[in-house]
């Protein structure tokens, strides 16, 4: 019973966090690049995630014994290839001209997030990535 | 190369990234999923710090600049 109560409160906390993050992403998506407002709305998650990372680092001090052994590298080989392809295409397009003909990943994202809902979605995904890096 | 060809390459790369996760779901014994990848990448403090700096740069690049 206690376990199901904990699960319910855990799910409720996740829903509240997701709603709050979505609201924050919507407000942040209303700013324009190269403005103080855009700097500020991006800086707040920096500070929050940095604080979470610092706390997680203190908690796990001395437990960083997981290393990339041969077995784990073998298990990750598909990701290594996929990420290498991504980086190669990004670098190839980054140093090619004109940008319209050779779009980079961020140029494609720029054309996607011209509308506020799309920009809010990208911002939310960025927040979730930050949480995935420190919140586990 | 033309723009449609470059866009096709981007679609292919995204498909390969998605395929990695599908591969992990199909054959969990031999292939790691995104969760394990993140765990492996963030399991030591220096690696986590580098990834966090990359994440911060990405946000600044996409939204502030």
């Amino acid at each position: 019973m206690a376990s199901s109560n904990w699960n319910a409160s855990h799910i409720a906390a996740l829903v509240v966090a997701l709603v709050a993050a979505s609201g924050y992403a919507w407000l942040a998506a209303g700013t324009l690049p190269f403005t103080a407002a855009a700097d500020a709305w991006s800086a707040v998650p920096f500070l929050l995630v940095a604080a979470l990372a610092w706390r997680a680092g203190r908690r796990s001090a001395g437990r960083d014994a997981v290393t990339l052994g041969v077995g784990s590298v073998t298990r990750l080989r598909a990701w290594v290839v996929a990420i290498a392809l991504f980086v190669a295409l990004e670098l190839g397009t980054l140093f090619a001209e004109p940008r319209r003909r050779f779009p980079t990943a961020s140029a494609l994202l720029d054309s996607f997030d011209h509308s506020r809902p799309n920009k809010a979605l990208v911002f939310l995904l960025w927040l979730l990535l930050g949480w995935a890096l420190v919140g586990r | 190369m033309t723009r449609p060809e470059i866009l096709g390459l981007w679609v292919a790369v995204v498909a390969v990234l998605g395929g990695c996760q599908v591969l992990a779901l199909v054959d969990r014994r031999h292939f790691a999923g995104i969760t394990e990848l993140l765990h492996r990448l963030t399991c030591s403090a220096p690696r986590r710090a580098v990834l966090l700096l990359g994440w911060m740069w990405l946000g600044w690049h996409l939204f502030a600049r």
Side-chain angles (χ1 to χ4, degrees):
Chain A
M1 202 62 184
S3 170
S4 65
N5 284 343
W6 185 88
N7 283 339
S9 62
H10 191 66
I11 289 168
L14 276 177
V15 169
V16 168
L18 196 57
V19 169
S22 302
Y24 188 90
W26 178 259
L27 293 173
T31 63
L32 291 172
F34 298 100
T35 61
D39 287 345
W41 283 93
S42 304
V44 170
F46 287 6
L47 296 175
L48 277 176
V49 168
L52 282 173
W54 183 74
R55 203 184 69 161
R58 281 173 62 95
R59 253 198 340 239
S60 66
R63 288 193 283 126
D64 288 342
V66 182
T67 55
L68 286 175
V70 175
S72 59
V73 170
T74 306
R75 284 173 55 75
L76 293 172
R77 64 192 181 277
W79 287 107
V80 171
V81 171
I83 291 168
L85 285 174
F86 182 93
V87 171
L89 186 54
E90 177 69 7
L91 290 177
T93 50
L94 183 66
F95 292 110
E97 292 288 343
R99 179 65 62 241
R100 165 101 194 118
R101 189 168 152 200
F102 297 98
T104 58
S106 56
L108 289 173
L109 269 180
D110 275 348
S111 54
F112 173 76
D113 65 17
H114 271 315
S115 74
R116 189 169 179 174
N118 287 2
K119 188 173 177 180
L121 177 66
V122 174
F123 200 98
L124 180 62
L125 290 174
W126 174 70
L127 290 178
L128 292 176
L129 180 63
W131 178 80
L133 291 177
V134 297
R136 292 173 311 109
Chain B
M1 292 184 84
T2 62
R3 179 180 165 87
E5 286 170 339
I6 296 291
L7 292 177
L9 283 178
W10 275 119
V11 170
V13 167
V14 171
V16 170
L17 284 165
C20 288
Q21 183 60 22
V22 173
L23 211 54
L25 292 174
V26 171
D27 186 359
R28 197 166 285 280
R29 238 174 62 116
H30 294 102
F31 295 98
I34 186 81
T35 310
E36 184 178 338
L37 175 71
L38 275 176
H39 175 71
R40 293 284 171 187
L41 289 175
T42 59
C43 64
S44 78
R47 263 184 251 158
R48 199 163 45 230
V50 169
L51 279 174
L52 280 177
L53 286 175
W55 174 81
M56 287 176 179
W57 173 84
L58 182 68
W60 177 82
H61 176 64
L62 290 178
F63 309 113
R65 290 293 174 263

